Amino acid sequence: MQGKLLLTTFVVLALSAGTLGQASSSESSSSSSSSEVEPDPRTDDCAIDIVLVLDDSSSITPSLFRATRMLMNAFIACFDDTDDVNVGVVLYNCEARTEISLGTYTASDHYLMYAFGGLRQQGGVTRTGPAIRYMKDTSTFRDGARRVAIVFTDGYIEGEPLDDHVTEANAARAAGITLYSVGLGDNVDSGVLEEIAGSPGNVFDDTDNPCDLAEQILQDCGKDPRGGASYNDSDSDSVSDSSDDSDDSGGDSASDSSDDSDDSGPD
């Protein structure tokens, strides 16, 4: 009788140990699964060429123009050294002009903030359509790089129907260029901004976190700007603290001289 009792006790203990072992293994597997890092939506191996197309017409006040230069600095600071990003700048009013040639600077080049500080406003009427066409025709995008253009404007256009921004924006997209727009100031024409960008999701505001735009560009890398699932080039005053720090530490002389120029600029 005592032998049977010992045998029964042994069997119960063995079964209990097996159950605990399975539970421990299950918990370990669950813990391992839950600790797995989610894949980073940013595409590290995607080269991106970005042209910043900035409205410097008279509808943009000098103070707003200066704030937009700071916003551009904050936007570029959102990229890190591992991001293969080239940057160019086109300014426009009734005519467009290249201020920084695409490929002169990368997003990680600290001299880029000085170049932004040297941008000067000319004033004049606003013709966004020809500016988009100029960007498309003159920008030297790298083979295989994602082509991006960001239009900074209040959306108010003069000279229509000569300024056909819808046709020019569609032509840029057909050439493989993804367009985004950033509304400047308190009074913007949101309809025009959406027509430039092609969709509401590509429209941003100067009060938004500029890193939201940078993150979307990185996430969109590889998508076809013409609406397909993927893209291959051969197929066709709200700024971040980092921007304030960079302006204070290195861009004072450029900013001061720019401020003097802007104060005497267009009304």
Side-chain angles (χ1 to χ4, degrees):
M1 182 67 179
Q2 186 176 6
K4 291 182 179 180
L5 181 59
L6 289 173
L7 179 61
T8 301
T9 301
F10 176 78
V11 171
V12 170
L13 290 173
L15 290 173
S16 298
T19 302
L20 290 173
Q22 290 178 356
S24 175
S25 175
S26 176
E27 289 178 2
S28 175
S29 175
S30 175
S31 174
S32 174
S33 175
S34 63
S35 64
E36 291 181 0
V37 178
E38 292 295 325
D40 190 343
R42 295 160 58 124
T43 307
D44 292 335
D45 59 352
C46 184
I48 307 174
D49 286 347
I50 302 176
V51 181
L52 307 178
V53 184
L54 175 56
D55 179 355
D56 77 333
S57 67
S58 296
S59 65
I60 305 297
T61 65
S63 60
L64 181 56
F65 184 80
R66 291 193 296 270
T68 304
R69 288 189 320 215
M70 295 176 64
L71 178 65
M72 289 163 54
N73 264 322
F75 164 72
I76 293 301
C78 298
F79 298 98
D80 58 41
D81 292 341
T82 65
D83 297 320
D84 184 5
V85 179
N86 280 357
V87 181
V89 175
V90 168
L91 297 188
Y92 76 95
N93 39 71
C94 59
E95 294 183 350
R97 62 195 187 276
T98 299
E99 290 291 334
I100 300 175
S101 298
L102 186 60
T104 304
Y105 299 101
T106 65
S108 60
D109 192 331
H110 296 297
Y111 287 101
L112 183 56
M113 70 175 180
Y114 295 105
F116 284 166
L119 298 176
R120 297 291 184 269
Q121 183 179 14
Q122 287 188 353
V125 299
T126 310
R127 292 186 176 167
T128 304
I132 295 174
R133 181 174 66 248
Y134 175 89
M135 175 277 302
K136 172 179 67 71
D137 293 343
T138 64
S139 298
T140 53
F141 294 100
R142 290 174 292 172
D143 291 339
R146 176 72 168 182
R147 301 177 177 186
V148 172
I150 306 171
V151 181
F152 295 81
T153 181
D154 55 12
Y156 291 102
I157 293 174
E158 301 168 275
E160 294 183 287
L162 297 177
D163 185 325
D164 193 348
H165 61 279
V166 175
T167 297
E168 299 301 343
N170 288 336
R173 277 185 283 274
I177 303 171
T178 301
L179 292 176
Y180 302 87
S181 62
V182 177
L184 302 180
D186 297 329
N187 298 309
V188 299
D189 189 328
S190 57
V192 169
L193 292 174
E194 185 172 331
E195 288 169 345
I196 293 171
S199 70
N202 283 13
V203 178
F204 292 81
D205 189 80
D206 59 359
T207 61
D208 295 333
N209 184 339
C211 290
D212 291 343
L213 173 55
E215 197 67 25
Q216 179 166 334
I217 290 172
L218 289 167
Q219 292 181 14
D220 286 348
C221 200
K223 294 181 183 178
D224 192 334
R226 294 156 291 189
S230 62
Y231 170 68
N232 188 314
D233 181 59
S234 62
D235 295 336
S236 154
D237 307 339
S238 172
V239 298
S240 69
D241 292 338
S242 61
S243 173
D244 292 338
D245 293 342
S246 66
D247 288 338
D248 292 340
S249 61
D252 289 342
S253 59
S255 178
D256 289 342
S257 62
S258 174
D259 288 352
D260 294 338
S261 172
D262 288 333
D263 290 339
S264 61
D267 294 330

